[in-house]
Amino acid sequence: MSRISLFLVLAFAPFATSQDKKPPEKKDLPRVLYAIPLIAKPGEKQKIALRGRFLATVKEVKVTGAEAAKVKFLAAKAAGVPNNYPAERIGDSEVEIELELPKDAKPGEVKLTASGPAGESNAYTLLVRDDLPVIAEKEPNDGFEQAQPIAVPGAVEATIKNERDVDVFKIEGKKGDKLRIEVQAARFGSPVDAMCVLYDAGRTVVASEGGTASNPDPVLVVTLPKDGAFFLSVIDANDLGGGNFGYRLVVKAEK
Ligand SMILES: [Ca+2]
Ligand SMILES: [Ca+2]
């Protein structure tokens, strides 16, 4: 090889290499933020809208983590974002599916991936019902007088249905009972930034929690200071709300 052609090979080789290694453009990849409704029911066929970014051109949704799960693509479209709401949290597009999870689908293992012309989305971990007794939230529940009773152990499937919606639940217990009160929302992409306050029957605050940096969903572990009724309020810390603002509240004995 002559000196000049060796020069050419060395001079141009780095360009060819950097072209080959250029990372794929990621900004327009579909992104699944959360499901509406937020909580999936094993053993039932249900319609679910996956809300997120760049989902309007999605053509297929895949499910992993549950053998024999059936998923059917229904439609994909742009979706409105309310004024002043952050699109990166609320999502500006959605894909509708019909999902049928097997009865033995395990919470934490079912993941959904949406794909379209730009590529494949994140693998979104769906919030799946466990075997705790479950009730649906019943509005109005906006104050102590309207508090909705919940049994322990139990779960409530609820929504911060509009801005400044306050949800109050009533828990009966005995002095010394150790309870774990937990919200499931932000970890599953829900736009709800939950804040919980537990009051005794005299309306004195027993405990409160707004979540931490590593787990934005509040977890209250409390030992009840007396026998009787306690009231738990759940609000969105940013005073936002809407039909998409789903959350699950779990109350059980702490071991
Ligand atoms: Ca509510
Ligand atoms: Ca309410």
Side-chain angles (χ1 to χ4, degrees):
M1 197 179 278
S2 71
R3 288 179 64 92
I4 188 77
S5 45
L6 181 64
F7 167 76
L8 286 171
V9 167
L10 293 175
F12 288 95
F15 291 96
T17 310
S18 68
Q19 283 290 329
D20 292 346
K21 286 189 179 165
K22 193 182 171 201
E25 193 60 67
K26 286 208 169 132
K27 68 177 171 45
D28 295 343
L29 278 182
R31 176 144 195 91
V32 177
L33 294 172
Y34 58 100
I36 312 166
L38 187 68
I39 303 133
K41 305 164 190 173
E44 283 181 37
K45 194 182 278 186
Q46 65 179 146
K47 273 189 189 172
I48 292 179
L50 299 176
R51 183 67 77 103
R53 311 297 308 276
F54 306 107
L55 295 177
T57 55
V58 159
K59 298 279 183 266
E60 191 189 3
V61 174
K62 278 185 263 185
V63 53
T64 57
E67 256 183 67
K70 290 180 202 149
V71 62
K72 191 165 132 193
F73 171 89
L74 297 177
K77 61 180 185 192
V81 181
N83 281 347
N84 306 321
Y85 277 39
E88 61 278 6
R89 259 179 66 206
I90 305 295
D92 56 10
S93 49
E94 64 184 39
V95 53
E96 287 173 28
I97 56 169
E98 188 182 85
L99 180 68
E100 189 173 357
L101 293 177
K103 279 205 174 93
D104 63 354
K106 291 188 178 54
E109 293 186 5
V110 180
K111 294 182 194 291
L112 299 172
T113 307
S115 50
E120 210 167 64
S121 75
N122 55 313
Y124 169 72
T125 304
L126 193 62
L127 177 50
V128 175
R129 265 190 193 170
D130 56 20
D131 49 14
L132 278 181
V134 62
I135 57 171
E137 179 199 15
K138 199 167 170 215
E139 294 274 4
N141 59 1
D142 296 357
F144 291 93
E145 307 303 329
Q146 298 174 317
Q148 181 178 8
I150 52 175
V152 182
V156 188
E157 294 175 0
T159 309
I160 300 293
K161 65 179 171 50
N162 48 39
E163 292 178 4
R164 296 181 182 79
D165 181 22
V166 180
D167 295 341
V168 185
F169 303 96
K170 186 178 176 183
I171 301 163
E172 298 278 351
K174 294 240 179 296
K175 182 176 178 174
D177 285 355
K178 198 172 182 190
L179 299 182
R180 182 184 179 86
I181 300 166
E182 183 180 352
V183 170
Q184 296 173 326
R187 280 168 294 162
F188 299 90
S190 167
V192 173
D193 179 4
M195 172 80 204
C196 286
V197 183
L198 184 72
Y199 302 86
D200 66 15
R203 306 189 179 182
T204 300
V205 173
V206 176
S208 66
E209 179 60 54
T212 60
S214 59
N215 177 13
D217 291 329
V219 178
L220 284 175
V221 177
V222 285
T223 303
L224 298 184
K226 57 180 102 169
D227 292 1
F230 291 83
F231 296 89
L232 179 77
S233 73
V234 183
I235 59 163
D236 179 74
N238 306 305
D239 290 336
L240 303 181
N244 303 347
F245 282 62
Y247 69 94
R248 182 173 188 256
L249 174 68
V250 172
V251 183
K252 56 188 179 186
E254 172 78 349
K255 285 167 193 137

